[in-house]
Amino acid sequence: MRADELFTLPASLVRFASFFAPDAPPWTWVEAIAAALESIPAREFAPRTDLPVGLHIEGKVYLHPTVKLPTYGVILGPSWIGAKTDLRPGVFIRGLVIAGEGCVLGNSCEYKNCLLLDGVQTPHYNYVGDSVLGNRAHLGAGAICANLRLDQKPVSVQTPTGRVMTKLRKLGALMGDDAEAGCNAVLQPGAILGKRAAVLPTIAFAGYLPANTLASVRNEIRHLPRP
């Protein structure tokens, strides 16, 4: 399975293109986040001077001048937050986070070792760890990307051609462009959602959901009409 079957690296993140190859397995993009951040020159991590008093920043953090800052929250480096992204009150960025242009990192949400492409919406009470969220992917309120198996064994993924062992102890969700997870849904470790795939609210989804399909309450998969 290739990463470009799920998502396209946007122009806002083209500086990281050498780390996120379109023909690489998509789960390897998670492993590449740390190296991508290490490639940023130290001079680019100069702190902004307009930080709200309640916003704590520690380590190497790049915030584009147009990023909307919350009145309180925690951002740990290394992290890179792109233009016109909205950081909302209570945001907790634990490091190794890259966010593209026009994202929402929301109220009381937690992020760790993840790549968010342009227009990602995670507005309310979400957890995003060891994951890649494609362009315009959306998490409903309370939806989480679980990244650790209960038995803590390495995570395998289901692909269209069979199951693959990633050798990663922690791997969250791989959400394709325009994919959706409804309120209080749980995307189990290694869940893969194709482009414009959707998981209904409160579902605990595991495995692979093809593009333009919907996972229902009985784990049925239904095709969605084309836009």
Side-chain angles (χ1 to χ4, degrees):
M1 185 176 198
R2 295 166 49 115
D4 59 6
E5 296 176 48
L6 298 178
F7 22 67
T8 301
L9 196 72
S12 68
L13 299 177
V14 71
R15 66 176 301 158
F16 301 118
S18 62
F19 300 94
F20 303 118
D23 59 350
W27 48 91
T28 65
W29 282 27
V30 174
E31 299 178 90
I33 293 169
L37 286 165
E38 288 175 4
S39 72
I40 301 173
R43 64 180 181 275
E44 292 192 31
F45 290 110
R48 279 178 50 170
T49 58
D50 58 343
L51 298 180
V53 174
L55 180 60
H56 175 76
I57 293 182
E58 182 177 328
K60 296 180 178 179
V61 174
Y62 169 80
L63 296 169
H64 190 276
T66 60
V67 171
K68 184 178 180 180
L69 300 176
T71 53
Y72 62 93
V74 174
I75 306 175
L76 305 180
S79 293
W80 193 96
I81 310 300
K84 302 176 184 177
T85 287
D86 184 2
L87 304 182
R88 294 184 176 174
V91 68
F92 181 22
I93 298 174
R94 287 173 50 194
L96 295 175
V97 172
I98 298 174
E101 183 172 334
C103 296
V104 174
L105 280 68
N107 166 35
S108 304
C109 297
E110 181 178 350
Y111 307 85
K112 167 253 180 187
N113 193 39
C114 58
L115 172 63
L116 312 180
L117 304 186
D118 283 4
V120 167
Q121 301 282 313
T122 57
H124 317 285
Y125 312 110
N126 304 122
Y127 174 71
V128 184
D130 303 283
S131 299
V132 180
L133 275 57
N135 298 284
R136 299 168 302 280
H138 172 254
L139 296 180
I144 66 170
C145 302
N147 63 342
L148 180 65
R149 288 170 50 120
L150 286 177
D151 59 10
Q152 301 194 20
K153 291 182 178 180
V155 178
S156 63
V157 295
Q158 185 65 45
T159 75
T161 57
R163 185 161 289 278
V164 178
M165 177 55 68
T166 69
K167 299 182 180 180
L168 297 174
R169 180 171 173 266
K170 290 188 175 183
L171 177 63
L174 304 169
M175 297 181 67
D177 293 345
D178 301 294
E180 301 257 357
C183 295
N184 293 318
V186 177
L187 303 181
Q188 302 282 29
I192 299 178
L193 276 61
K195 293 181 179 181
R196 201 172 164 263
V199 173
L200 285 180
T202 74
I203 301 296
F205 179 81
Y208 170 68
L209 186 61
N212 298 299
T213 60
L214 181 145
S216 71
V217 69
R218 294 190 296 272
N219 288 326
E220 297 173 343
I221 295 177
R222 290 179 278 169
H223 289 277
L224 295 171
R226 296 283 180 176

